Amino acid sequence: MKITKVLLVWLLLLCCAVEFASGQSRKAGINAAAFLKVGVGARSIGMGSAVTSLSEDVTNMYWNPAGIALNNDRMQAAFSYNSWIASIKQNAVAASYNIENVGTFGIGVVTFGISGIPADRDIYPNNPILQAQQQDFASGDTYDYMDLVAQATYARYVTDKLSLGVTFKFINEKIDDRNASTIAFDFGSLYHIGILNWNIGARINNLGGDIKFYDYAYPIPLTFSIGTSMTPISVDNHSVLVALDAVKPQDGQQYFFSGLEYNFDQMVFLRAGWKFNYSYFGLTGSGIDEGSSVRSSLQTSLEKGSMGAGVRLVQGEYTFRVDYSYTVFQTLDSVHRLSLHMSMK
């Protein structure tokens, strides 16, 4: 009976997601803080970002805050490095601590940027009219671009199967001597059905204010997602986890993210991910939006697919995991991510 009620709730959420998708016209490029769209964690990316329903992992605070709630561990910590396109670097740290009968508290910081960009300054020393309109008052030969999000997350199991979570975010974008900030919230839920390790989850990310540079304000990338995962194969020391997310960003069409993780003896992991209606992957599609009667076709994505691997080691009450993922891009450089994860009982 409980499962039936939960499935009915999730069916309602699915209907809401479809309505949200149909009611929003696609407006690519309307968002500020676009770095929030770049996923965190080698395991998550290796599984194609289909992570809404994954649980008990501190890096889930960057996806579904309900997923950091701990039952089996007392604390977790993680570091992730991402060599992004155009020499941009992403670094992320996260830590969580579980207090019995209270919940799991987490903090995290993500930086995303590049330094030493050659500057082409607009300086008009002999033209008082243009000087009055000048906006760039910095004088360096180079400048830096740096985005940052600092966040605090709280999650707990409200029943033995249902966890809820919320994240508070401070978001800042800085380029040269200019910066702008806002705050935002993430909300998430996760339900453990139990059969075949079946989970279902939902999240809404980046519900917050606009970021304003000069007189122009733009919304941050609001995203709604529902997802499910299960382990349909578990034989001796071998198991396979599959996951699927339906994702609707404010400034994009409806996406479907899928992921696969093979597990050998809880020690070695192999992963693969695919984004439907999003990715271009050789023979499966062109990644081209065919357009309409009023506009021509568009290249919707340069991303092809992702894959990854991980190794897990247990030493007494400590568990260590190293994860790597590789994302293939068309035209642009491929992307490498490396994550280190530690947990303590």
Side-chain angles (χ1 to χ4, degrees):
M1 185 66 179
K2 289 183 178 180
I3 292 178
T4 302
K5 290 181 179 178
V6 170
L7 291 177
L8 287 174
V9 170
W10 283 97
L11 181 60
L12 177 61
L13 284 173
L14 178 59
C15 292
C16 292
V18 172
E19 179 64 23
F20 177 71
S22 62
Q24 296 285 325
S25 60
R26 194 178 59 167
K27 300 177 181 178
I30 67 171
N31 290 142
F35 78 102
L36 295 172
K37 300 178 183 179
V38 180
V40 175
R43 184 196 181 207
S44 301
I45 302 303
M47 294 185 63
S49 302
V51 295
T52 296
S53 58
L54 302 188
S55 62
E56 303 219 6
D57 189 330
V58 65
T59 57
N60 285 350
M61 71 167 60
Y62 299 116
W63 304 87
N64 182 353
I68 77 163
L70 297 176
N71 259 340
N72 301 317
D73 294 329
R74 183 171 36 165
M75 65 85 64
Q76 292 186 354
F79 169 77
S80 181
Y81 171 78
N82 173 10
S83 178
W84 189 238
I85 58 178
S87 300
I88 297 173
K89 308 300 182 186
Q90 180 200 63
N91 294 286
V93 293
S96 64
Y97 188 84
N98 186 52
I99 301 177
E100 189 175 359
N101 298 323
V102 176
T104 303
F105 297 85
I107 55 173
V109 176
V110 178
T111 62
F112 185 86
I114 185 172
S115 300
I117 305 171
D120 185 10
R121 306 289 183 187
D122 292 330
I123 301 175
Y124 308 100
N126 301 316
N127 191 322
I129 296 177
L130 293 178
Q131 283 180 348
Q133 301 177 22
Q134 185 172 323
Q135 299 291 333
D136 182 3
F137 295 101
S139 58
D141 294 332
T142 63
Y143 65 95
D144 300 337
Y145 149 66
M146 182 62 66
D147 292 333
L148 176 144
V149 57
Q151 62 185 64
T153 301
Y154 170 73
R156 71 169 293 172
Y157 282 90
V158 295
T159 72
D160 59 344
K161 294 182 178 293
L162 175 65
S163 62
L164 302 176
V166 60
T167 292
F168 169 80
K169 295 178 174 180
F170 170 77
I171 302 164
N172 179 263
E173 289 198 294
K174 183 178 185 298
I175 183 167
D176 206 3
D177 63 342
R178 302 282 177 168
N179 69 86
S181 304
T182 190
I183 61 172
F185 292 88
D186 296 345
F187 299 93
S189 63
L190 190 59
Y191 188 83
H192 306 269
I193 295 176
I195 304 171
L196 299 178
N197 194 29
W198 185 12
N199 296 336
I200 50 179
R203 60 184 170 94
I204 184 166
N205 300 100
N206 306 318
L207 186 63
D210 295 347
I211 286 186
K212 183 177 181 180
F213 278 94
Y214 298 106
D215 296 326
Y216 299 94
Y218 296 94
I220 58 178
L222 179 67
T223 303
F224 177 77
S225 175
I226 58 175
T228 185
S229 61
M230 64 172 60
T231 307
I233 300 174
S234 183
V235 180
D236 297 329
N237 294 329
H238 306 270
S239 66
V240 175
L241 171 70
V242 294
L244 178 66
D245 279 11
V247 180
K248 181 61 182 72
Q250 180 187 28
D251 67 340
Q253 55 196 338
Q254 180 72 58
Y255 302 139
F256 295 94
F257 298 168
S258 64
L260 182 75
E261 181 180 66
Y262 164 74
N263 169 13
F264 172 69
D265 200 28
Q266 293 294 321
M267 292 178 57
V268 179
F269 302 85
L270 299 176
R271 307 180 181 105
W274 197 306
K275 296 180 179 180
F276 294 91
N277 204 31
Y278 179 95
S279 295
Y280 169 75
F281 205 100
L283 299 177
T284 67
S286 63
I288 299 292
D289 180 331
E290 295 180 355
S292 67
S293 60
V294 296
R295 65 169 176 83
S296 59
S297 61
L298 299 171
Q299 176 76 53
T300 59
S301 175
L302 297 176
E303 183 178 333
K304 292 186 175 182
S306 58
M307 61 195 74
V311 178
R312 180 174 177 267
L313 176 65
V314 179
Q315 292 288 332
E317 63 179 0
Y318 295 94
T319 300
F320 302 91
R321 195 180 75 227
V322 180
D323 296 310
Y324 168 79
S325 70
Y326 178 75
T327 305
V328 184
F329 278 79
Q330 180 187 9
T331 307
L332 302 174
D333 293 337
S334 297
V335 172
H336 303 267
R337 289 177 171 88
L338 182 67
S339 295
L340 308 177
H341 187 281
M342 185 272 289
S343 61
M344 183 178 69
K345 297 292 185 182

